[in-house]
Amino acid sequence: MRPYPVVLSIAGSDCSGGAGIQADIKTISALGGYAASVITAITVQNTLGVQRVEAVSPETVYDQIEAVMSDLQPDAIKIGMVNDVATIRMIAACLQKHQPRFVVYDPVMVSTSGHLLMTTEAIQEIKEVLFPLTTLITPNLNEVAVLCARSVTSPEEMLHAAQELATLYQTSILVKGGHLPGEDMCDVLYSADGKSAIYKGKKIESRNLHGTGCTLSSAIATQLAKGNSSNEAIREAKRYIEQAIAAGRDLNIGQGNGPLWHFPDSMHKSE
């Protein structure tokens, strides 16, 4: 095990710095990993929303992955925004070729407002060729609703959905319950080996939650790369994201849904 594990993020670029590749690089670095990146799309966005998305060509995505994999040999890969069939196939081909030990996929399928960010064809392609190559998939409740073709509104339904998806795709599923009503947080894991776990906590009130999904998935990938078990990796990642939300809740960065503070330790040192 290398002292600084290499973690590769395959995701879109957020020019405002709160989500996507930028959030992943901050997270991996804050947790003691070395961050490499493959950009799948250039987004024009800020804390108020996304104005435009320009996809990077599938060939360029493939070449970026090959360049990193052949030289840096990452310990783990995190996948975020991918929304066209050709790029999905290119990523799958690279995963099959290099067979990285850990692949964490955050399926960015639905916008905060509830709109689909992928075509039906792209979603089907992800199910068929990408899901079976992953170690862990981290959908939120809106994304689970798309994958299971039904709404999921309680911890019990989250567990049933996670079990259904884990069995179908032979991978581990972490259903994120951040959109559940009430003051409590609840995420549910169903592992490929048939074990389940529930992660509970209190919600932290904040308007600065931009990039939470990206941050959690890249934190889990980093913890896996450091040698933690899935359960330990998720617990440590959730502890980190809670600290990042708490550290960022009073920040005034942008006029809308602001970012987390990805270096909470630096906040404590400055106090």
Side-chain angles (χ1 to χ4, degrees):
M1 184 66 65
R2 291 180 284 194
Y4 301 101
V6 176
V7 181
L8 169 61
S9 169
I10 303 173
S13 170
D14 172 8
C15 57
S16 72
I21 285 285
Q22 286 82 349
D24 293 343
I25 291 173
K26 293 174 187 178
T27 300
I28 295 163
S29 301
L31 293 175
Y34 179 85
S37 64
V38 167
I39 296 176
T40 60
I42 308 297
T43 68
V44 178
Q45 67 172 296
N46 52 29
T47 63
L48 298 173
V50 179
Q51 288 85 51
R52 185 160 59 90
V53 178
E54 183 174 326
V56 174
S57 73
E59 294 77 16
T60 301
V61 171
Y62 181 90
D63 289 344
Q64 289 180 85
I65 298 173
E66 282 294 300
V68 173
M69 295 301 292
S70 62
D71 182 28
L72 278 63
Q73 298 162 357
D75 301 286
I77 293 177
K78 172 262 167 89
I79 302 173
M81 174 186 273
V82 186
N83 54 12
D84 69 86
V85 170
T87 300
I88 293 163
R89 290 174 180 168
M90 290 291 190
I91 293 172
C94 288
L95 296 180
Q96 289 172 324
K97 177 180 177 180
H98 295 283
Q99 298 190 356
R101 187 176 180 190
F102 303 110
V103 179
V104 178
Y105 179 34
D106 178 24
V108 186
M109 293 180 172
V110 185
S111 69
T112 304
S113 59
H115 292 95
L116 273 177
L117 299 174
M118 288 184 182
T119 64
T120 303
E121 293 77 14
I123 292 173
Q124 189 59 35
E125 193 72 18
I126 281 172
K127 290 179 179 179
E128 292 178 2
V129 307
L130 204 51
F131 278 7
L133 299 175
T134 62
T135 307
L136 176 70
I137 304 170
T138 62
N140 62 28
L141 295 182
N142 290 333
E143 290 151 355
V144 167
V146 172
L147 295 172
C148 294
R150 66 176 184 275
S151 62
V152 175
T153 58
S154 70
E156 294 76 21
E157 291 178 351
M158 290 166 64
L159 179 58
H160 292 152
Q163 181 177 7
E164 176 184 324
L165 294 171
T167 302
L168 183 59
Y169 299 111
Q170 292 299 292
T171 188
S172 297
I173 305 290
L174 179 69
V175 178
K176 299 177 294 188
H179 293 117
L180 286 175
E183 298 179 353
D184 296 324
M185 277 288 299
C186 177
D187 295 346
V188 176
L189 172 71
Y190 196 90
S191 300
D193 60 6
K195 297 178 181 178
S196 62
I198 298 177
Y199 308 90
K200 295 181 179 179
K202 290 291 183 182
K203 287 184 181 178
I204 300 172
E205 291 299 322
S206 175
R207 74 181 186 95
N208 297 326
L209 298 172
H210 184 50
T212 52
C214 307
T215 299
L216 179 63
S217 54
S218 55
I220 294 171
T222 306
Q223 295 294 351
L224 288 171
K226 291 169 71 173
N228 289 313
S229 67
S230 293
N231 191 34
E232 292 170 337
I234 293 168
R235 289 193 184 281
E236 289 300 315
K238 285 185 63 62
R239 183 177 293 114
Y240 165 73
I241 200 169
E242 287 168 4
Q243 293 171 347
I245 292 172
R249 62 184 166 185
D250 295 325
L251 294 179
N252 290 302
I253 297 177
Q255 303 170 60
N257 180 18
L260 319 181
W261 184 253
H262 288 90
F263 300 95
D265 287 346
S266 70
M267 190 79 72
H268 298 318
K269 291 174 183 176
S270 65
E271 293 175 353

